[in-house]
Amino acid sequence: MIEDSRKILSEHSVSITNPRILVLEALLEFGNPITIDELQSKLKGAVAKSTLYRVLNDLKKIKILNEFTSPDNSTVVELILEDHSHHHHLFCSDCGEVIDVELSEEFEIMLNKEIEKVQKNFNFEITDHRVEMFGLCTDQCSNCK
Amino acid sequence: MIEDSRKILSEHSVSITNPRILVLEALLEFGNPITIDELQSKLKGAVAKSTLYRVLNDLKKIKILNEFTSPDNSTVVELILEDHSHHHHLFCSDCGEVIDVELSEEFEIMLNKEIEKVQKNFNFEITDHRVEMFGLCTDQCSNCK
DNA sequence: ACAGTAAATGAGAATAAGTCTCATTTATTT
DNA sequence: AAATAAATGAGACTTATTCTCATTTACTGT
């Protein structure tokens, strides 16, 4: 995991530092979208708060980190790995867990057609989109029992 | 517009107060999703900051206000009116404007089918969903020229 | 219309997420 | 291994939102 982290950094010509490795390791280990709060507690104070935010910004800059806000207003981050295909998010309103979901090919095709239409109707250049679903995990979330 | 505001409040058995009327009027008048910053400037100090947030929370509680975070991290609110049908949002990354978009019936049907699948696969009870699109308004936004 | 009571408000203090500053440390280049 | 630029830690700062509490306002029953 340390080696993966080093590799990710060098591939993006970002200097290899301890805080960056620690943050990447934590993200790789968790494997799912994670709130900054959770990330901070995984890091157990090993990285200063200011540095953590700087590292996250660095990772966003090299486009390997995705950041979004969950419905309960916490900031969630997630690594974008090469084998990580286009997906959307499912939020548990109870425990706050965020789960990656892939939707069907047909659905994505249809969504792209809708996006095309919206681009024309509103004279917009649409660069990105997001589908979010909210609800209650009934027993699947790792946080809820 | 004052009368509309009073009606909305009494229909939801919420006491009719000046700050609530002023906030509702501003939202009705603007007619589109609006950032809290913009809302504050429309109110020109007529409502205390703490009261504004309280009123917005009241409106959320009676389910006539929708709140979400725009990609630039500002909080956006929007009234849910009866004649306001199911819709999604289009954000301009440049000027911050948020526009309501309705997608086609067929698309919504297909999306609901996807949601059904996700519910089963993840053993979730999905209560809500959201489609967000981001991009650049090329000349349509009222804020961009 | 009026007094009594509970709810709502204003003003500013408190909180918390995120950014910034600056002196020190670390990584990279030669 | 030295020189230099970049990254870090610690804590100050900023800004959005919530909280506190004394005062005001809206609603209820008479």
Side-chain angles (χ1 to χ4, degrees):
Chain A
M1 221 92 158
I2 288 197
E3 280 322 307
D4 293 338
S5 307
R6 285 180 183 283
K7 202 172 135 221
I8 290 173
L9 293 172
S10 66
E11 274 170 354
H12 291 87
S13 21
V14 162
S15 65
I16 295 166
T17 66
N18 221 256
R20 286 177 180 157
I21 290 171
L22 291 172
V23 171
L24 277 174
E25 278 191 292
L27 292 170
L28 285 167
E29 192 188 332
F30 191 68
N32 263 332
I34 187 173
T35 61
I36 292 189
D37 267 2
E38 270 175 290
L39 183 54
Q40 257 168 335
S41 50
K42 300 235 176 266
L43 291 170
K44 273 276 174 199
V47 174
K49 183 176 55 140
S50 49
T51 304
L52 172 58
Y53 281 102
R54 273 186 294 230
V55 168
L56 293 176
N57 282 327
D58 296 339
L59 301 180
K60 278 194 271 178
K61 234 173 258 153
I62 62 175
K63 301 269 166 60
I64 65 164
L65 191 83
N66 205 358
E67 184 182 294
F68 49 93
T69 304
S70 80
D72 71 351
N73 277 325
S74 39
T75 299
V76 178
V77 294
E78 139 180 87
L79 274 186
I80 302 163
L81 302 169
E82 311 79 26
D83 63 343
H84 216 203
S85 52
H86 181 68
H87 65 273
H88 301 285
H89 293 116
L90 173 59
F91 299 87
C92 176
S93 317
D94 191 23
C95 69
E97 177 148 349
V98 187
I99 300 173
D100 284 351
V101 287
E102 259 184 75
L103 302 181
S104 76
E105 183 83 3
E106 312 99 89
F107 172 80
E108 294 291 347
I109 290 170
M110 190 151 183
L111 176 52
N112 283 326
K113 280 187 199 144
E114 293 293 311
I115 288 174
E116 272 302 318
K117 282 195 262 172
V118 172
Q119 288 205 119
K120 275 183 197 126
N121 290 346
F122 292 91
N123 203 8
F124 241 77
E125 186 190 328
I126 296 179
T127 52
D128 202 5
H129 69 270
R130 200 180 268 176
V131 178
E132 297 177 329
M133 303 178 192
F134 316 109
L136 299 167
C137 63
T138 53
D139 64 29
Q140 196 91 347
C141 275
S142 49
N143 301 351
C144 290
K145 72 261 124 214
Chain B
M1 222 92 157
I2 288 197
E3 279 321 307
D4 293 338
S5 306
R6 288 178 181 281
K7 201 171 136 221
I8 290 172
L9 293 173
S10 66
E11 272 170 355
H12 290 87
S13 21
V14 161
S15 65
I16 294 164
T17 66
N18 221 257
R20 287 178 180 157
I21 289 171
L22 291 171
V23 171
L24 278 174
E25 278 190 293
L27 292 170
L28 286 167
E29 191 187 334
F30 191 68
N32 263 334
I34 187 173
T35 62
I36 291 188
D37 267 2
E38 271 175 290
L39 183 54
Q40 256 168 337
S41 51
K42 299 235 176 263
L43 290 170
K44 275 276 176 196
V47 174
K49 185 175 51 139
S50 48
T51 303
L52 173 58
Y53 281 101
R54 272 188 294 232
V55 168
L56 293 176
N57 281 327
D58 296 338
L59 301 181
K60 279 195 270 178
K61 233 172 261 154
I62 60 174
K63 303 266 167 57
I64 65 164
L65 190 84
N66 205 359
E67 185 183 292
F68 49 93
T69 304
S70 81
D72 71 350
N73 275 325
S74 39
T75 298
V76 177
V77 293
E78 141 180 84
L79 274 187
I80 303 163
L81 302 170
E82 310 79 27
D83 63 343
H84 216 205
S85 52
H86 181 67
H87 64 274
H88 301 286
H89 293 116
L90 173 59
F91 298 87
C92 177
S93 317
D94 191 22
C95 68
E97 177 148 348
V98 186
I99 300 173
D100 285 350
V101 285
E102 259 183 76
L103 302 180
S104 76
E105 185 83 3
E106 313 99 90
F107 172 80
E108 294 290 347
I109 290 169
M110 190 152 184
L111 176 51
N112 283 328
K113 280 186 198 144
E114 292 293 311
I115 288 174
E116 273 300 318
K117 283 195 261 172
V118 171
Q119 288 204 119
K120 275 183 197 128
N121 289 344
F122 292 91
N123 202 9
F124 240 78
E125 187 191 326
I126 296 179
T127 52
D128 203 6
H129 68 269
R130 204 180 263 178
V131 177
E132 296 178 330
M133 303 177 189
F134 315 109
L136 298 167
C137 64
T138 53
D139 64 30
Q140 196 91 349
C141 275
S142 48
N143 300 351
C144 291
K145 78 263 123 216

